[in-house]
Amino acid sequence: MKKDGFFITFEGADGSGKTTQIKMLEEYLVTQKKDFIITRDPGGTKLGSKLREILLTYDGKIAPFCELFLYLADRAQHVDEVIMPALNNGKMVLCDRYIDSTLAYQGYARGLNIDEIINLNNLVTHSLIPDLTLLFDIETGIAMKRIGDKKDRLESEAAHFHEKVRFGYLDLAKKDPQRIKVIDASMSIDDVYNQVIEIIKQFV
Ligand code: TMP
């Protein structure tokens, strides 16, 4: 899809620290006087925040396809209401999670078909793919320790689920190294930030 702005997504396992890094990057972009918005998936719209609540707190069993379609429903609204209008206005869009989360979590970890997910995602996003994706990679054990005891529905999945998410992300990065840049998220916050800035400066 044609657009004027620049679309960056931030991906990684729960506990990878990406949300902290987005906040730090926000300060840098303000000093650079960049025209940007920060948003998140799921939950980047009013409707999306209701879907997010279901996705993260519902205490019953959610069928894998139901989960997939809830994430895609959130994304359809998010792209139409927030992301595309901002990109069409020439803004930079920083989005906390997007398609690669769906591929890693619902595809690699839950076992849904990758090509089917890509087709459905293209349908609801009008084939909007990020220009750049930063993948915060971290060993599952360290990430789980960082999360601690207060866990949402996805964070409460077993360690082997999170291992599959990590493997999925790294596999996606291997297949699309132009778009997906892997960052070692096990380092200190400042060292991770230096890696982020190095990459951002090359693209922005
Ligand atoms: P977070 O916004 O706090 O990272 O939580 C979102 C959770 O939803 C996280 O565990 C990853 C998961 N998720 C999916 O399973 N599929 C998706 O498509 C997206 C966007 C997130």
Side-chain angles (χ1 to χ4, degrees):
M1 176 178 264
K2 205 184 152 324
K3 58 186 173 32
D4 298 323
F6 196 79
F7 185 26
I8 309 177
T9 57
F10 297 77
E11 295 281 359
D14 299 284
S16 64
K18 67 185 162 40
T19 309
T20 306
Q21 293 295 328
I22 296 172
K23 285 200 187 108
M24 291 168 80
L25 181 58
E26 177 178 14
E27 286 171 28
Y28 170 78
L29 293 174
V30 169
T31 64
Q32 298 295 305
K33 299 192 170 24
K34 296 283 180 199
D35 194 5
F36 68 96
I37 63 159
I38 295 181
T39 186
R40 70 173 178 183
D41 196 2
T45 62
K46 191 173 169 207
L47 174 59
S49 46
K50 291 191 187 287
L51 295 172
R52 179 183 172 90
E53 202 190 318
I54 296 172
L55 280 161
L56 298 192
T57 65
Y58 181 68
D59 58 3
K61 191 163 167 33
I62 301 186
F65 272 118
C66 178
E67 185 180 75
L68 171 68
F69 281 102
L70 287 171
Y71 279 111
L72 293 178
D74 166 81
R75 187 163 307 137
Q77 185 73 19
H78 194 197
V79 167
D80 275 19
E81 192 181 319
V82 176
I83 300 177
M84 258 340 279
L87 291 172
N88 285 336
N89 271 330
K91 288 183 201 281
M92 190 189 298
V93 173
L94 276 58
C95 189
D96 192 341
R97 297 192 182 281
Y98 191 68
I99 172 61
D100 300 301
S101 284
T102 319
L103 292 171
Y105 284 79
Q106 281 67 52
Y108 287 83
R110 285 270 188 254
L112 298 183
N113 183 282
I114 296 290
D115 290 333
E116 283 175 7
I117 295 177
I118 291 173
N119 288 338
L120 289 167
N121 185 72
N122 282 340
L123 178 73
V124 303
T125 63
H126 317 286
S127 301
L128 175 68
I129 300 294
D131 297 299
L132 172 67
T133 296
L134 302 189
L135 168 56
F136 294 83
D137 177 56
I138 187 163
E139 244 178 66
T140 304
I142 304 176
M144 294 192 85
K145 268 197 201 120
R146 281 189 188 173
I147 295 169
D149 291 334
K150 218 171 148 267
K151 294 178 180 162
D152 64 33
R153 194 179 62 87
L154 273 295
E155 288 166 347
S156 305
E157 288 287 345
H160 71 267
F161 178 91
H162 293 286
E163 292 283 8
K164 286 188 208 165
V165 168
R166 182 183 186 210
F167 171 83
Y169 271 133
L170 291 174
D171 201 41
L172 292 168
K174 211 161 44 179
K175 288 180 179 149
D176 193 354
Q178 284 292 101
R179 173 174 69 87
I180 306 178
K181 307 293 177 196
V182 182
I183 285 176
D184 178 354
S186 63
M187 296 180 167
S188 71
I189 290 181
D190 287 340
D191 287 340
V192 175
Y193 180 65
N194 288 337
Q195 297 177 67
V196 171
I197 286 295
E198 193 117 314
I199 295 168
I200 291 291
K201 278 181 178 164
Q202 288 168 27
F203 284 84
V204 175

